[in-house]
Amino acid sequence: MDAKARAKTFRPPVRLVMTTPVHLLAFGGGAGLLPWVPGTFGTIVGVVLWAILAWLPITAYGVVVFVLFVAGCFIAGRSAKLLGVHDHPGIVVDEIVGFLVSGFPLVYGLHWWTGLLWPWVLAAFVLFRFFDMLKPPPIRWFDRHVRGGFGIMFDDLLAAVPTVVLLMAAQRVVSLI
């Protein structure tokens, strides 16, 4: 059985994930244990974390996201090594941090009280999931060739880039209307 097939079929025991701190963090508090679309559920965890962190000043938000990315590299890499599966689908810390990066323009781009924020969050969610699942070039190349915790995290960081660009462009267009 090749590594990709093992990654899709290997299901770590729930007890192992929920009682091992590095797995618990890598699996997004258990969101990655869901048998279908764990990355989408990991992104939902990212939305919840974004809603908490979005109240921070923009610089503090950026610092927290950077620290979470660096920590995520260690956490994802360690969890993958312990499981013996590179980039197991249940490891969703990359989706969590990827959404936090995707939500960056929303931290200061719109006002909470206008009621217009949540459609933008939904747009960020859909765009990020689209780019993360489709993995257009060069994201696919990095996903296949960069290994370890950094590789697990980096393709999701790259998926956040077009999301950010499209959100910022859309915000610009809306502000001109």
Side-chain angles (χ1 to χ4, degrees):
M1 178 181 304
D2 70 346
K4 282 205 181 260
R6 177 168 160 69
K8 289 182 180 182
T9 60
F10 174 69
R11 296 188 44 92
V14 172
R15 183 176 174 94
L16 172 70
V17 171
M18 300 305 284
T19 59
T20 309
V22 74
H23 291 317
L24 185 63
L25 292 170
F27 278 67
L33 287 169
L34 294 166
W36 20 255
V37 293
T40 298
F41 284 99
T43 306
I44 291 170
V45 173
V47 170
V48 171
L49 187 55
W50 174 86
I52 294 166
L53 296 176
W55 292 95
L56 294 172
I58 193 74
T59 305
Y61 181 88
V63 168
V64 169
V65 172
F66 175 78
V67 168
L68 289 174
F69 178 82
V70 172
C73 290
F74 169 77
I75 291 164
R78 184 75 181 129
S79 182
K81 187 173 184 174
L82 289 171
L83 293 174
V85 179
H86 174 72
D87 205 359
H88 186 280
I91 297 175
V92 296
V93 66
D94 50 337
E95 278 85 6
I96 295 168
V97 175
F99 183 81
L100 293 177
V101 173
S102 296
F104 191 79
L106 306 179
V107 173
Y108 69 94
L110 296 171
H111 299 286
W112 287 88
W113 57 86
T114 64
L116 296 175
L117 182 65
W118 290 105
W120 288 96
V121 173
L122 179 61
F125 178 87
V126 169
L127 286 169
F128 174 69
R129 289 305 303 146
F130 173 78
F131 289 115
D132 186 35
M133 292 188 303
L134 181 65
K135 297 195 187 314
I139 299 169
R140 181 172 292 140
W141 187 90
F142 284 99
D143 181 51
R144 292 180 179 168
H145 293 93
V146 181
R147 310 304 285 170
F150 180 77
I152 294 169
M153 297 293 291
F154 191 63
D155 71 296
D156 290 80
L157 179 67
L158 289 177
V161 171
T163 302
V164 167
V165 169
L166 289 172
L167 287 173
M168 291 178 77
Q171 284 180 342
R172 181 75 174 144
V173 168
V174 168
S175 72
L176 295 174
I177 296 175

